[in-house]
Amino acid sequence: MTAQRDITVGELGEKALLARILDALAGSSQAEIGPGDDAAVIAAPGGRVVVSTDTLVHGPDFRLAWSSGFDLGWKSAAVNLADIAAMGARPVALFVALALPDDTTAGFVDDLALGLRRACEALSPDCAVEGGDLTASDTLTIAVTALGVIDPDLRPVLRSGARPGDVVAVAGELGAAARGVGMLFDRFRDASGRPIAVDRGILTDAEEVDLDTQLRPRPPIAAGIAAARAGATAMMDVSDGLLLDATRLADASRATVRLAPTPESGLDDDALRGGEDHALLACFAPDAELPDGFRVIGRIDPRGAAAVTIDGVAVTGHLGWDPHRDWDAGRG
Amino acid sequence: MTAQRDITVGELGEKALLARILDALAGSSQAEIGPGDDAAVIAAPGGRVVVSTDTLVHGPDFRLAWSSGFDLGWKSAAVNLADIAAMGARPVALFVALALPDDTTAGFVDDLALGLRRACEALSPDCAVEGGDLTASDTLTIAVTALGVIDPDLRPVLRSGARPGDVVAVAGELGAAARGVGMLFDRFRDASGRPIAVDRGILTDAEEVDLDTQLRPRPPIAAGIAAARAGATAMMDVSDGLLLDATRLADASRATVRLAPTPESGLDDDALRGGEDHALLACFAPDAELPDGFRVIGRIDPRGAAAVTIDGVAVTGHLGWDPHRDWDAGRG
């Protein structure tokens, strides 16, 4: 494959491109019927499936100067796996609709397929890419739909089930991805604001961790299933910032989320307002035993004037991540 | 809603746009958990689901001068429903990832949502849009993933099951969509080749039918389930032309498809080589009773030198529809 990495998808044609992608994914399918027919067939032993879809678009969602094909494959898998985990479900299949400009290199697509595969293997080994679609487009677009199954003895965990007195907890990173994207905008653009390649040599180890969290997030997929098993009353993926997503959970549950930052909780401004870490925010009955990976960050109050408070004080200002505002300057 | 149809999605913002879409879809959800949480929950009583994804991209797949929002919503639903039906499954849910340029009007998106809804109601009433994603993009893109369920006493019908002696049959239109797109290219472009609005006043009734089949195809969804119930040995969606798709079925089944055109079968050149009607091509044991809607067009021979023959003569030349070649001239 290496010899042809620079050939473009326009030159290669759809059939040969598909063959390369299937080659990169070979042996990973765990479905009854995987890629190749009109549709895939996925087992759903509990009699129901959980489905979510999330798209990465060149421009609003990523820049090619900053993200490799591998990064984009990884991230598009990870963000969708997180949505499934946030329901307390076990991811089982990804479907990937790729829309590619003709000048995309085959090597980029190989890397993207590998990133999808490696993210599944690392984050959710029972899940693989089981189908997809290839189209030509002027704009590189990766639309992923994820399927999960709920263990037969469990129910899906919604945003709307939090009750006053519940403990509020979080699993996974908060703030690192926001520091990572801040670093990209602050330090890896040219004088006219255009993205330039990242020079990792000038980054500290901690900065590299932040950058990697932005480019290849590692949502705590197993923690979602563990939370469902521990009786979580409500759960959601923190994709747009803790304050904004906690507001959504509070509104859906008609309650107030009272955050209680402590020196240990790490709830600094990045953690409160930064997006894209794909941590899991969950609520548990006061007497529940928290599963591994979760740390307490507050509790549920009866609904007050504010959806979210910090130690009882209403939160104001910019709550979180808005991709339309925060990413739209400077395409590249 | 009417007063604000001309406002753009960039002006409206994601939250208000989503509210409009949910408004257009209101009451249609049939899922355990529909749109609004991290993921939808879909019942899969037979313990497995069938999943397919297909994307429409502005440029390669459609032109805004020719297709309304309603047309695009309808078509993006119909082509995905057809893939599910081609497995012998019952469509139950669509997930729609919309990537929209900021200057898209809200009215266009309203119409698109209505087209999705009406196509489900007309073609597959047990199915509805149960989730999706909104993103900004320079290129209007509609990526739909469809889920279906297989009746517990049936198996999925693959492309690979045809056996020598089987009857080859088809349900649905063949050729009309190709005539429709031919008409668009021949008669509704300006002197420089750019698409212009269709003047239906100059079309005959038959031409309007062809155009409607191109813009809003009506695949025979119920016939797919009926074929599975009648014991179809192989089946697929005819999306790229009968000859090309029959080649795929023949190759998957390691057999040869012998087409036997008759004056009644309507297998003219449009029917043989035209794409996008989304008919269903199916094979049945010689003694099977064909379900309603299917007509015999040939039989399965042992694999010979050619994948497809017409009365035993190998087919040559342009087999079918190639969106990268046939659509790519003249964006608009």
Side-chain angles (χ1 to χ4, degrees):
Chain A
M1 215 184 276
T2 315
Q4 290 200 320
R5 286 180 60 83
D6 290 339
I7 192 173
T8 68
V9 305
E11 291 160 355
L12 201 59
E14 183 177 317
K15 193 172 170 181
L17 182 65
L18 178 61
R20 286 175 80 116
I21 294 173
L22 292 177
D23 200 39
L25 299 173
S28 65
S29 172
Q30 304 180 45
E32 203 172 313
I33 307 289
D37 216 294
D38 292 279
V41 181
I42 308 293
R48 52 187 169 187
V49 290
V50 170
V51 190
S52 184
T53 185
D54 207 350
T55 306
L56 299 184
V57 177
H58 183 224
D61 297 317
F62 61 86
R63 304 290 156 55
L64 291 173
W66 293 336
S67 292
S68 68
F70 186 94
D71 293 339
L72 293 171
W74 181 290
K75 185 164 183 169
S76 61
V79 301
N80 278 281
L81 294 171
D83 280 323
I84 298 302
M87 302 295 284
R90 202 177 289 283
V92 292
L94 300 182
F95 295 83
V96 183
L98 281 181
L100 301 171
D102 283 343
D103 63 358
T104 309
T105 67
F108 179 90
V109 182
D110 293 341
D111 290 344
L112 195 156
L114 195 64
L116 284 160
R117 178 176 190 151
R118 292 286 179 257
C120 289
E121 289 168 351
L123 304 174
S124 190
D126 296 335
C127 185
V129 175
E130 301 294 0
D133 182 43
L134 287 173
T135 330
S137 175
D138 290 337
T139 305
L140 176 53
T141 305
I142 309 164
V144 174
T145 302
L147 261 70
V149 296
I150 296 176
D151 289 351
D153 58 326
L154 295 179
R155 287 180 309 168
V157 183
L158 309 184
R159 300 177 178 188
S160 52
R163 295 161 304 200
D166 281 356
V167 166
V168 177
V170 73
E173 280 294 333
L174 284 178
R179 287 192 298 274
V181 77
M183 204 186 309
L184 289 170
F185 273 91
D186 291 346
R187 296 166 62 181
F188 299 105
R189 293 195 293 170
D190 65 17
S192 61
R194 290 181 182 281
I196 57 172
V198 174
D199 175 6
R200 284 181 176 259
I202 66 170
L203 299 181
T204 66
D205 288 354
E207 286 169 341
E208 281 213 83
V209 168
D210 289 344
L211 183 64
D212 287 343
T213 304
Q214 167 56 227
L215 298 178
R216 297 189 297 277
R218 302 183 69 93
I221 304 304
I225 302 151
R229 194 151 289 288
T233 55
M235 185 156 55
M236 67 182 294
D237 168 37
V238 183
S239 53
D240 297 333
L242 180 61
L243 292 181
L244 186 53
D245 287 320
T247 297
R248 293 168 176 156
L249 186 144
D251 288 345
S253 296
R254 297 194 177 87
T256 288
V257 171
R258 170 194 281 257
L259 298 173
T262 62
E264 297 74 40
S265 68
L267 291 190
D268 60 9
D269 204 59
D270 287 333
L272 289 170
R273 297 172 205 271
E276 299 204 295
D277 292 297
H278 299 279
L280 293 174
L281 174 66
C283 301
F284 298 90
D287 57 349
E289 191 175 331
L290 254 57
D292 281 352
F294 279 92
R295 56 194 185 276
V296 175
I297 58 167
R299 68 160 201 243
I300 298 291
D301 280 347
R303 179 66 184 214
V308 179
T309 69
I310 295 182
D311 292 325
V313 179
V315 168
T316 55
H318 172 45
L319 291 185
W321 181 253
D322 180 341
H324 292 271
R325 192 190 53 225
D326 297 344
W327 264 103
D328 253 1
R331 309 238 162 153
Chain B
M1 215 182 273
T2 315
Q4 290 201 319
R5 285 180 61 83
D6 290 339
I7 192 173
T8 68
V9 304
E11 291 159 353
L12 201 57
E14 183 177 317
K15 193 172 171 182
L17 182 64
L18 178 61
R20 286 176 79 117
I21 293 173
L22 292 178
D23 200 39
L25 299 173
S28 64
S29 171
Q30 305 180 43
E32 203 171 314
I33 306 289
D37 216 295
D38 292 279
V41 181
I42 308 293
R48 52 187 169 187
V49 289
V50 170
V51 190
S52 184
T53 185
D54 208 349
T55 305
L56 299 184
V57 177
H58 184 225
D61 297 316
F62 61 85
R63 304 290 156 56
L64 290 174
W66 293 336
S67 292
S68 68
F70 187 93
D71 293 339
L72 293 171
W74 181 291
K75 186 164 182 168
S76 61
V79 302
N80 279 281
L81 294 171
D83 280 323
I84 298 301
M87 301 295 284
R90 202 177 289 283
V92 292
L94 300 182
F95 295 84
V96 182
L98 281 181
L100 300 172
D102 283 343
D103 63 358
T104 309
T105 66
F108 179 90
V109 181
D110 293 341
D111 289 344
L112 196 157
L114 195 63
L116 284 160
R117 179 177 189 151
R118 293 285 179 257
C120 289
E121 289 168 350
L123 303 174
S124 191
D126 296 335
C127 185
V129 175
E130 301 294 0
D133 182 44
L134 287 173
T135 329
S137 175
D138 289 337
T139 305
L140 177 53
T141 305
I142 310 164
V144 174
T145 302
L147 262 71
V149 296
I150 296 175
D151 288 352
D153 58 326
L154 296 179
R155 286 181 310 168
V157 184
L158 309 184
R159 299 178 179 189
S160 52
R163 295 162 304 199
D166 281 356
V167 167
V168 177
V170 73
E173 281 293 334
L174 284 177
R179 288 192 297 275
V181 77
M183 204 185 311
L184 289 171
F185 273 91
D186 291 347
R187 294 166 64 182
F188 298 105
R189 293 195 293 169
D190 66 17
S192 62
R194 290 181 182 282
I196 56 172
V198 173
D199 175 5
R200 285 181 175 257
I202 66 170
L203 299 181
T204 66
D205 288 354
E207 286 170 341
E208 280 213 84
V209 169
D210 290 345
L211 183 64
D212 287 342
T213 305
Q214 166 57 226
L215 298 178
R216 296 188 299 277
R218 301 184 71 92
I221 304 304
I225 302 152
R229 193 151 290 288
T233 55
M235 184 155 56
M236 68 182 293
D237 168 36
V238 183
S239 53
D240 296 334
L242 179 61
L243 292 180
L244 186 53
D245 286 321
T247 297
R248 292 168 178 157
L249 186 145
D251 288 344
S253 295
R254 298 193 176 89
T256 288
V257 171
R258 170 194 281 257
L259 297 174
T262 62
E264 296 75 39
S265 68
L267 290 191
D268 59 10
D269 204 60
D270 287 333
L272 289 169
R273 296 172 206 271
E276 298 203 297
D277 292 297
H278 299 279
L280 293 174
L281 173 67
C283 302
F284 298 90
D287 57 350
E289 191 175 332
L290 255 57
D292 281 351
F294 279 93
R295 55 194 185 276
V296 175
I297 58 166
R299 67 161 200 243
I300 298 293
D301 281 348
R303 179 65 186 215
V308 179
T309 70
I310 294 180
D311 292 326
V313 179
V315 169
T316 56
H318 173 43
L319 292 184
W321 181 252
D322 180 341
H324 292 270
R325 192 190 53 225
D326 298 343
W327 265 103
D328 253 1
R331 310 237 162 153

